[in-house]
């Protein structure tokens, strides 16, 4: 947890972070004899939300993060075997794309549930009832540790505050605890019960953590569902937002996880409607704002820096939205990016003509495409990616309540993990396929959630090339082992051990 977690450099109230191998070794020694009877309060920090408000995070101390990870690893497999198939958020092997694929199944033009409850829970993580949560968890090892973490409080501006309810966002255990608290929603709504033998349920629910939508056959049934959900959530200390919870028809559409889901009239189907799931206008506007800020901040930098800074953003956004109908959005964004690139060129060279700028920055830099309007650095050959190059690729919905911890489904999950190759560049995907999608060091799947690196068997500083035969894809820690071996053999200088490393940033969710 001190190396992989995104908040590894964010300290808790003790201001301690663990960065070096020596510090991690000492932490392991301390944990082997550590008696975690007194959980420390979290440090309160705030991060901006999409709506402009601030989201409170609770950052535990490093020791508590490690103990939470141990308890989570012990508790999660048992709950994964119990969780409902309609739950997709913060669960191993499941993603936003699975949630959207399930929504497509329920809401498609032949579906019979056109009325949708677009629900919003008020401060779900901050108001979960502790006693109800602990009763739901039951008498399992680590239960009292969980109670301590829930009751530890938080420190803000040097003052310790109590936490009579809620689980801190930012804690290792928090996503699992939230899923446990909201477990049973599908059963409560009757979405897993059939009206008669062989018939489909008359309601459908898709939940991603505390965000969920409910599909109903009539508006009256949707209103009944809201009343039912209000009582069900009240037992857990939660409540629906009166302002943000609404009932809509699929022809009006709704936004979920950055997508817009809506039925449109058409003459090409029997039902007279066609379902379209596209990137939402809010998602596109947020991306433009981010890219605009990047472009403005890159003024004065060369094209090489522009390409290196923007390509990960473009690839990540495109990979996230590619499973749905994003072609038009991608083309619109490419057109917008061309305008931003023009502004950049004119700002860089105010005394030069447009023809001169075009000759300097645009050309057929991507040799695999017949496109002469590719922005980049002609000296190095690096170019700016286009959204439309990503293309569409349907996501395969996870099967029912399948869990990666089920020993009978090991082959299924191994095959499913290979979809991670779609997030790699074509050249890197070729290397991955040659390795049968496995790390040659640990023999595990390349796409098991760990960071993937590209390793040069013959280091470049020793004449190694970027030819396929000299490259392998390995996990981050396996790469550290290989690099250490090369250093011990004298193939790498101690200060240049990082030269042979290339991080493959697989963006988006599977």
């Amino acid at each position: 947890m001190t190396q992989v977690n995104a908040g590894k450099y964010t300290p808790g109230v003790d201001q301690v972070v663990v960065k070096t191998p020596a510090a991690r070794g000492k932490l392991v020694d301390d944990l082997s004899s550590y008696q975690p009877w007194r959980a420390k309060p979290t440090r309160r920090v705030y991060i901006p939300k999409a709506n402009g408000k601030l989201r409170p995070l609770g950052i535990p101390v490093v020791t508590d993060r490690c103990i939470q990870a141990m308890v989570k690893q012990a508790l999660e497999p048992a709950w994964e075997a119990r969780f409902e198939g309609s739950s997709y958020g913060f669960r191993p092997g499941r993603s936003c794309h699975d949630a959207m694929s399930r929504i497509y199944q329920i809401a498609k033009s032949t579906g019979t549930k056109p009325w949708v409850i677009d629900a919003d829970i008020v401060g779900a993580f901050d108001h979960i009832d502790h006693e109800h949560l602990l009763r739901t968890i039951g008498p399992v090892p680590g239960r009292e540790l969980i109670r301590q973490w829930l009751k530890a409080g938080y420190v803000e501006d040097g003052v310790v505050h109590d936490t009579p309810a809620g689980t801190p966002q930012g804690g290792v255990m928090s996503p699992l605890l939230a899923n446990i608290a909201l477990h049973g929603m599908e059963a409560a709504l009757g979405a897993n019960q059939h009206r008669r033998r062989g018939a489909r349920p008359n309601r459908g629910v898709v939940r991603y953590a505390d965000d969920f939508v409910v599909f109903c056959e009539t508006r009256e049934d949707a209103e009944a569902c809201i009343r039912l959900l209000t009582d069900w959530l009240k037992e857990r200390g939660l409540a629906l937002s009166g302002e943000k919870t609404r009932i809509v028809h699929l022809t009006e559409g709704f936004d979920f996880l950055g997508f817009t889901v809506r039925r449109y009239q058409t003459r090409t189907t029997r039902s007279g409607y066609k379902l379209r799931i596209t990137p939402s206008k809010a998602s596109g506007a947020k991306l433009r704002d981010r890219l605009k800020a990047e472009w403005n901040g890159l003024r004065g930098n060369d094209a090489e820096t522009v390409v290196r800074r923007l390509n990960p953003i473009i690839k990540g956004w495109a990979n996230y939205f590619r499973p749905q109908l994003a072609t038009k959005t991608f083309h619109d964004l490419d057109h917008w990016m061309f305008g931003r690139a023009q502004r950049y060129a004119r700002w860089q060279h105010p005394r030069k003509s447009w023809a001169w700028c075009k000759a300097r920055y645009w050309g057929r830099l991507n040799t695999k495409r017949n496109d002469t309007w590719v922005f980049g650095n002609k000296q190095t050959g690096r170019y700016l990616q286009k959204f439309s190059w990503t293309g569409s690729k349907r996501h395969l919905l996870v099967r029912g309540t399948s869990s990666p911890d089920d020993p009978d489904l090991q082959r299924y999950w191994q095959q499913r993990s290979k979809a991670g190759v779609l997030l790699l560049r074509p050249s890197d995907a070729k290397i991955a396929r040659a390795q049968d999608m496995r790390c040659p060091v640990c023999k595990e799947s390349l796409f098991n959630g760990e960071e993937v690196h590209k390793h040069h068997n013959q280091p470049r500083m020793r004449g190694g090339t970027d030819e396929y035969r000299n490259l392998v894809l390995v996990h981050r820690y396996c790469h550290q082992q290989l690099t250490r071996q090369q250093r011990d053999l004298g193939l790498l200088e101690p200060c240049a051990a990082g030269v042979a490393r290339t991080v493959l940033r697989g963006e988006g969710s599977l």
Side-chain angles (χ1 to χ4, degrees):
M1 296 309 298
T2 65
Q3 302 177 72
V4 180
N5 191 278
K8 60 185 177 182
Y9 296 133
T10 306
V13 294
D14 59 358
Q15 297 299 310
V16 173
V17 294
V18 178
K19 299 180 181 180
T20 65
R24 289 193 287 269
K26 183 179 184 302
L27 178 62
V28 171
D29 293 338
D30 292 343
L31 288 173
S32 63
S33 59
Y34 177 67
Q35 295 296 324
W37 306 120
R38 289 292 180 268
K40 292 185 178 180
T42 62
R43 184 168 71 91
R44 175 62 59 89
V45 298
Y46 294 89
I47 60 172
K49 297 171 64 174
N51 59 9
K53 296 182 180 179
L54 295 177
R55 184 189 305 278
L57 296 185
I59 309 299
V61 299
V62 172
T63 304
D64 281 345
R65 292 183 222 178
C66 294
I67 301 298
Q68 285 188 31
M70 294 166 61
V71 174
K72 179 185 177 183
Q73 289 173 359
L75 195 63
E76 188 173 58
W79 277 97
E80 278 297 315
R82 298 170 58 184
F83 281 147
E84 297 165 316
S86 59
S87 170
Y88 297 99
F90 303 115
R91 295 182 57 189
R94 293 167 180 258
S95 68
C96 297
H97 293 160
D98 290 299
M100 298 311 302
S101 296
R102 180 57 181 152
I103 285 176
Y104 177 82
Q105 284 189 347
I106 299 174
K108 59 187 178 183
S109 59
T110 56
T112 59
K113 306 176 185 67
W115 290 95
V116 184
I117 302 173
D118 183 8
D120 182 81
I121 300 176
V122 180
F125 282 85
D126 299 328
H127 297 96
I128 293 174
D129 183 79
H130 289 170
E131 296 308 317
H132 185 278
L133 178 59
L134 291 168
R135 285 197 303 272
T136 304
I137 292 173
V140 298
R143 184 175 184 273
E144 290 307 311
L145 286 175
I146 296 173
R147 180 190 293 276
Q148 282 196 38
W149 290 321
L150 293 174
K151 299 291 186 181
Y154 65 91
V155 176
E156 185 175 13
D157 297 329
V159 179
V160 179
H161 300 266
D162 293 332
T163 49
T167 175
Q169 298 184 63
V172 179
M173 284 287 295
S174 296
L176 175 61
L177 294 178
N179 275 329
I180 292 174
L182 294 172
H183 172 64
M185 181 182 292
E186 182 181 304
L189 290 169
N192 59 353
Q193 299 175 4
H194 292 187
R195 290 171 294 179
R196 61 182 184 276
R197 189 171 183 178
R200 295 180 179 179
N202 60 347
R203 294 170 182 167
V205 59
V206 177
R207 182 173 66 83
Y208 190 91
D210 59 329
D211 294 326
F212 66 94
V213 288
V214 182
F215 295 85
C216 304
E217 294 181 343
T218 64
R219 185 180 183 89
E220 291 72 22
D221 187 47
E223 292 170 349
C225 282
I226 288 180
R227 293 191 293 270
L228 191 155
L229 283 169
T230 299
D231 295 337
W232 186 82
L233 289 170
K234 186 176 181 180
E235 297 176 6
R236 290 151 177 80
L238 303 174
L240 292 174
S241 169
E243 297 179 356
K244 297 181 180 180
T245 299
R246 61 194 186 111
I247 299 175
V248 298
H249 196 273
L250 277 173
T251 53
E252 300 175 56
F254 65 94
D255 290 351
F256 190 69
L257 300 180
F259 294 88
T260 294
V261 183
R262 187 177 176 183
R263 278 185 187 176
Y264 293 85
Q265 287 188 335
T266 181
R267 297 180 180 179
T268 60
T269 62
R270 288 184 178 180
S271 64
Y273 291 95
K274 184 175 183 178
L275 184 74
R276 292 175 60 88
I277 301 180
T278 58
S280 68
K281 291 182 178 179
S283 297
K286 183 179 178 180
L287 176 69
R288 286 185 174 91
D289 289 342
R290 181 183 179 186
L291 289 171
K292 182 179 178 181
E294 291 285 352
W295 275 111
N296 291 338
L298 287 165
R299 287 179 176 179
N301 291 279
D302 60 8
E304 185 83 6
T305 304
V306 172
V307 170
R308 289 183 181 274
R309 183 79 63 83
L310 297 183
N311 271 351
I313 301 174
I314 295 170
K315 291 178 183 177
W317 203 88
N319 278 328
Y320 180 79
F321 287 100
R322 71 183 297 189
Q324 305 299 336
L325 300 175
T327 303
K328 183 181 183 303
T329 302
F330 286 172
H331 282 293
D332 291 344
L333 285 170
D334 285 337
H335 180 73
W336 182 85
M337 285 289 284
F338 176 73
R340 298 308 308 186
Q342 279 185 310
R343 289 183 178 218
Y344 165 86
R346 293 184 185 277
W347 194 93
Q348 292 284 97
H349 311 281
R351 298 181 181 275
K352 298 294 185 180
S353 67
W354 165 241
W356 186 92
C357 292
K358 177 184 180 300
R360 179 179 177 87
Y361 291 110
W362 279 273
R364 190 169 178 260
L365 299 180
N366 186 348
T367 57
K368 296 181 180 179
R369 294 183 177 273
N370 187 24
D371 187 345
T372 59
W373 287 97
V374 179
F375 177 90
N377 186 334
K378 290 190 174 181
Q379 283 70 41
T380 63
R382 292 186 179 275
Y383 53 85
L384 194 65
Q385 292 284 328
K386 291 191 176 184
F387 289 90
S388 55
W389 291 349
T390 303
S392 298
K393 184 68 178 181
R394 284 292 182 186
H395 178 79
L396 184 62
L397 176 63
V398 66
R399 189 167 61 194
T401 58
S402 300
S403 169
D405 297 305
D406 189 339
D408 296 331
L409 297 176
Q410 286 186 1
R411 184 174 179 81
Y412 167 76
W413 285 104
Q414 287 173 359
Q415 292 297 321
R416 186 171 175 81
S417 71
K418 293 182 179 180
V421 75
L422 299 175
L423 300 180
L424 301 179
R425 294 184 300 178
S427 58
D428 297 329
K430 183 176 180 179
I431 300 173
R433 293 189 179 96
Q435 299 174 194
D436 193 29
M437 314 290 185
R438 292 186 176 277
C439 173
V441 179
C442 65
K443 310 302 181 184
E444 296 292 330
S445 170
L446 274 174
F447 310 107
N448 62 356
E450 296 184 48
E451 194 174 86
V452 178
H453 287 192
K454 187 189 295 181
H455 176 76
H456 292 75
N457 292 321
Q458 179 69 19
R460 283 178 290 184
M461 64 183 302
R462 297 295 184 184
T465 66
D466 288 332
E467 295 179 353
Y468 284 119
R469 61 185 178 182
N470 191 46
L471 299 173
V472 291
L473 301 185
V474 293
H475 296 132
R476 175 182 180 177
Y477 305 122
C478 297
H479 190 209
Q480 291 176 352
Q481 295 176 30
L482 292 176
T483 303
R484 190 178 300 112
Q485 292 172 8
Q486 289 180 336
R487 188 170 59 245
D488 293 342
L489 292 172
L491 298 176
L492 287 175
E493 297 295 334
C495 61
V499 172
R501 182 184 72 185
T502 303
V503 182
L504 306 184
R505 301 190 183 279
E507 308 287 350
S509 302
L510 291 179

